[in-house]
Amino acid sequence: MWRKRTLLLWALLSAFALSAWSQDAADSEAVRPSGVSGPIRKAKAVTARDRDRDTDNADAESKSARETKSSKSSHASSHRKRAKAKQDTQDTIPAPTEFTPEGIPKTTAASVIVVDANSGKILYEKNADQTRPAASTQKLLTALIVAESGFLDRPVTVQPTDTMVDPVKLNIKAGDTYQRIDLLRALLVKSPNDVARCLARDNAGSIEAFAEVMNRRAQQLGAVHSHFVNPNGLPMPGQYSSARDLSLIARAAYANQTIRSIVCLPQLVFRYANGRTRELENTNKLLRRVPYCNGMKTGYTDAAGKCLIASGTRPGRDVIVVVLGDSSSRVWRDASALLSWGLLM
């Protein structure tokens, strides 16, 4: 009996040990994620506290990601704002200018003159009587003659010969009709050559006849070192002017209220005869760069270089600056420096 009980107990212990060994073997053979060794950890039950903690962690990670993204976005936005601010600064504040011992801004232009617009007193000059191509700055004389002729509300019908000009055109079409004042505004703001020809032909009957009117009016103003052949300033043999002569023409134009009300416009909406509209931006960049500038006219050809007649005002003083034969990189700086100097001296 005792032997039977011993064998039974041994059998039970053996069966228990065999069962435990089988379970361990099954666990050791379980499929694992690739590259992961060691025993598998069984998943624990997820409690509400665990779930809340995981949610908080996910929110924290999401918040961190959002903050990182926001930081990058803010950095990019800040960079764009700094770049725009830098560009705006470049557009509004001229680069530093060198001065002579007398405190006059140095310029690279071939000819320069600064005059008091009211009294005509010469404040500064450099090669002011040197005869040079004037480019589109001579359109101030074209505009002055048209404005002084009056009847600016009268219609002008464009002729085929008015459109036969390059390179800067407004593309007015033969047969279209406009008021003189609308063409005059376009001429002074955007400087189209076809508009100059149209106004000249309307005023005097032909380009040649209008050139005679230009020379006669220039002589009356004392601009005796000038000779004009066309109304737009495109290169022609025998056409020239000087900084001094252009300052005399500019003073007369500055005194004309019609012209003065136009040359100060930063932009203008032009309506074509077919009803289409186009915004014209003034070619005079100083109107957008310096607050005291209130006109007047730009010009450029290969022969003339960069040219600019600029006017400015402050209480008690009006100044006109003429810069001829300058470079693209310096004309705005030179003119604005001379204008500021003339107004504040």
Side-chain angles (χ1 to χ4, degrees):
M1 177 65 74
W2 178 82
R3 178 179 292 181
K4 288 181 180 180
R5 289 180 178 177
T6 301
L7 291 173
L8 179 60
L9 180 61
W10 181 83
L12 289 173
L13 291 172
S14 298
F16 178 79
L18 180 62
S19 175
W21 177 85
S22 297
Q23 183 63 43
D24 288 341
D27 287 346
S28 67
E29 294 299 325
V31 177
R32 294 176 172 83
S34 176
V36 177
S37 60
I40 296 176
R41 293 184 180 178
K42 293 182 180 179
K44 297 188 296 182
V46 179
T47 64
R49 181 179 178 181
D50 290 335
R51 187 164 51 246
D52 290 344
R53 184 171 63 247
D54 289 343
T55 302
D56 290 341
N57 289 340
D59 288 345
E61 290 175 0
S62 176
K63 181 179 179 182
S64 176
R66 287 195 302 269
E67 288 176 349
T68 301
K69 183 177 180 181
S70 175
S71 176
K72 290 180 178 179
S73 176
S74 298
H75 179 73
S77 176
S78 176
H79 179 73
R80 287 193 297 271
K81 288 179 180 178
R82 286 196 301 270
K84 186 178 186 301
K86 182 179 179 181
Q87 181 63 42
D88 290 344
T89 299
Q90 290 175 344
D91 285 344
T92 55
I93 303 176
T97 301
E98 295 182 2
F99 295 85
T100 66
E102 295 77 22
I104 303 171
K106 292 182 179 180
T107 63
T108 59
S111 301
V112 168
I113 194 167
V114 182
V115 301
D116 185 298
N118 299 314
S119 67
K121 179 184 177 181
I122 298 171
L123 307 178
Y124 171 70
E125 63 178 277
K126 180 178 80 170
N127 301 326
D129 292 317
Q130 182 184 85
T131 56
R132 300 184 51 81
S136 288
T137 59
Q138 71 186 54
K139 286 174 181 165
L140 267 185
L141 180 57
T142 299
L144 178 63
I145 293 168
V146 172
E148 289 177 341
S149 298
F151 304 104
L152 297 180
D153 59 342
R154 290 201 176 172
V156 178
T157 300
V158 181
Q159 300 297 322
T161 55
D162 301 336
T163 65
M164 297 176 183
V165 63
D166 285 315
V168 180
K169 302 171 65 173
L170 195 60
N171 288 316
I172 52 178
K173 305 297 183 183
D176 289 349
T177 299
Y178 300 94
Q179 283 190 328
R180 286 176 181 167
I181 186 63
D182 294 328
L183 294 178
L184 185 62
R185 291 188 182 115
L187 176 72
L188 290 171
V189 170
K190 196 62 179 177
S191 196
N193 295 319
D194 51 353
V195 171
R197 285 178 64 91
C198 182
L199 286 169
R201 191 261 319 148
D202 172 68
N203 180 273
S206 70
I207 299 301
E208 294 74 19
F210 187 78
E212 293 179 6
V213 176
M214 292 178 73
N215 290 316
R216 186 163 56 248
R217 187 71 181 102
Q219 291 284 327
Q220 293 171 354
L221 293 171
V224 297
H225 296 99
S226 300
H227 188 261
F228 302 104
V229 180
N230 62 42
N232 45 43
L234 289 175
M236 290 285 289
Q239 180 159 262
Y240 53 85
S241 188
S242 68
R244 191 183 311 278
D245 282 8
L246 288 171
S247 73
L248 295 171
I249 293 168
R251 282 190 62 215
Y254 194 76
N256 185 285
Q257 290 303 312
T258 299
I259 292 179
R260 193 159 166 185
S261 69
I262 298 171
V263 294
C264 64
L265 300 174
Q267 62 272 327
L268 171 73
V269 176
F270 181 81
R271 182 179 295 277
Y272 287 89
N274 63 4
R276 181 173 67 92
T277 59
R278 175 183 170 187
E279 185 174 284
L280 308 179
E281 186 172 306
N282 201 310
T283 57
N284 184 3
K285 295 181 181 180
L286 291 192
L287 288 172
R288 298 180 293 279
R289 294 186 178 184
V290 290
Y292 44 80
C293 179
N294 62 356
M296 296 186 72
K297 190 71 193 70
T298 61
Y300 172 76
T301 64
D302 289 340
K306 283 288 185 176
C307 304
L308 177 63
I309 301 175
S311 60
T313 186
R314 72 175 179 85
R317 172 161 284 192
D318 296 90
V319 169
I320 290 173
V321 171
V322 180
V323 175
L324 302 180
D326 213 340
S327 64
S328 298
S329 61
R330 290 299 300 264
V331 64
W332 307 112
R333 182 192 307 181
D334 289 346
S336 61
L338 287 169
L339 199 59
S340 177
W341 172 81
L343 288 170
L344 298 175
M345 67 172 296

